[in-house]
Amino acid sequence: MARTPLIAGNWKMYLSLAESVALGQAVAASCAGLTDREVMIAPTCAVLSTVAGAIADSPVILAAQNVAWEQEGAFTGESSPVTLKDIGVSMAILGHSERRHVFYETDEMVNQRLLGALDFGLKPILCVGELLEDREQGQTFEVVQKQLSKGLQGVTAKQLEQVVVAYEPVWAIGTGKTASKEQAQEVHAFIRGKLATLYEKKLAEKIRILYGGSVKPENVDSLMAQSDIDGALVGGAALNPDSFDRIIHFI
Ligand code: 13P
């Protein structure tokens, strides 16, 4: 069975409430008539509820940029998966490089968040990716493998069907330096192979693996033409309705 491509916009901590609503509406309009691909947006937490209203009548999938592993409790600054679901969120980005490197989230924390998301019915996007120094030292596969296997610890085969993986080389994020299509495909194939080892080949073939890191209208077509690239996790270019529209309509 072919994998349905997923084009995902990570808005990070950008855009006012009004700008978020306007962009949500623009993305909804871009999706009119699209049946062969899925489109997701992840606005900053504070505007999720309002954006949910703005895209309510569209197929646009709403995601959170992180999620707590418990339903409720003394977790200042965190968002409950149950509350997120209540307001219309159905996916969550987890282990983004900014969470790992700016906020020091460990593989163990990412794993807890991922298990919690699955328990409460949110589909996780598990982000993995190496630093520039890792790549220069030939450590790319080792780093990606560790983040993947630790992130998926305790996830059953049945649960894995709900998981999306995103490969985001840290050196390509927000730098304008995209991984070449060959570099990206090489790591995506490695990730799929690793999933086949951790689970089984047939299941690994079903899992979507997104590429993220300076995806733009100019490079999306060649990236999406790679056999193991099933979508894009887009930062900067997702903030501009025209750029994101073009990315959604990759050929
Ligand atoms: P850019 O597309 O701005 O490089 O960001 C990628 C990213 O971090 C998406 O999660």
Side-chain angles (χ1 to χ4, degrees):
M1 193 182 67
R3 299 178 290 269
T4 306
L6 173 63
I7 301 296
N10 174 8
W11 295 0
K12 309 196 178 185
M13 201 178 71
Y14 290 107
L15 306 181
S16 67
L17 179 60
E19 288 166 341
S20 300
V21 168
L23 184 57
Q25 286 166 339
V27 175
S30 288
C31 291
L34 276 186
T35 52
D36 62 343
R37 55 200 73 188
E38 292 180 345
V39 176
M40 184 206 94
I41 55 173
T44 189
C45 194
V47 305
L48 275 172
S49 182
T50 312
V51 173
I55 60 170
D57 295 325
S58 81
V60 178
I61 299 166
L62 191 62
Q65 296 176 12
N66 210 353
V67 64
W69 52 80
E70 295 278 350
Q71 171 170 357
E72 62 177 19
F75 298 105
T76 303
E78 291 285 331
S79 304
S80 160
V82 176
T83 313
L84 290 171
K85 272 202 82 180
D86 270 354
I87 64 174
V89 168
S90 57
M91 296 187 81
I93 299 173
L94 298 174
H96 189 276
S97 83
E98 286 142 26
R99 297 306 314 172
R100 294 178 188 269
H101 299 293
V102 185
F103 297 99
Y104 304 108
E105 288 198 16
T106 61
D107 285 321
E108 288 71 24
M109 289 163 77
V110 174
N111 177 242
Q112 268 189 287
R113 291 186 189 281
L114 187 135
L115 292 171
L118 288 168
D119 274 353
F120 292 106
L122 292 176
K123 293 182 184 170
I125 300 183
L126 171 62
C127 301
V128 299
E130 80 287 2
L131 297 165
L132 182 58
E133 65 212 56
D134 299 325
R135 180 162 280 267
E136 286 174 348
Q137 290 165 13
Q139 301 287 306
T140 298
F141 294 132
E142 210 168 308
V143 169
V144 166
Q145 157 170 337
K146 179 168 158 282
Q147 292 175 341
L148 190 70
S149 55
K150 290 199 164 195
L152 292 174
Q153 192 116 37
V155 173
T156 64
K158 183 100 198 90
Q159 287 175 314
L160 189 74
E161 291 184 20
Q162 304 298 313
V163 176
V164 174
V165 176
Y167 170 56
E168 298 206 306
V170 182
W171 49 270
I173 296 178
T175 58
K177 246 203 251 171
T178 325
S180 68
K181 57 186 194 303
E182 293 83 9
Q183 282 174 321
Q185 166 58 27
E186 185 184 30
V187 180
H188 280 233
F190 172 79
I191 291 171
R192 199 174 308 284
K194 198 68 215 160
L195 290 173
T197 315
L198 290 170
Y199 295 88
E200 59 165 30
K201 192 164 185 298
K202 234 172 110 183
L203 179 54
E205 289 298 327
K206 287 194 200 165
I207 305 303
R208 289 181 290 185
I209 308 173
L210 315 183
Y211 169 78
S214 298
V215 175
K216 305 266 181 274
E218 300 76 46
N219 57 29
V220 66
D221 297 338
S222 62
L223 286 163
M224 288 304 295
Q226 304 306 304
S227 56
D228 287 294
I229 299 185
D230 309 310
L233 184 51
V234 188
L239 298 174
N240 178 296
D242 297 331
S243 301
F244 197 55
D245 179 79
R246 174 61 185 85
I247 293 171
I248 290 171
H249 291 93
F250 74 86
I251 308 159

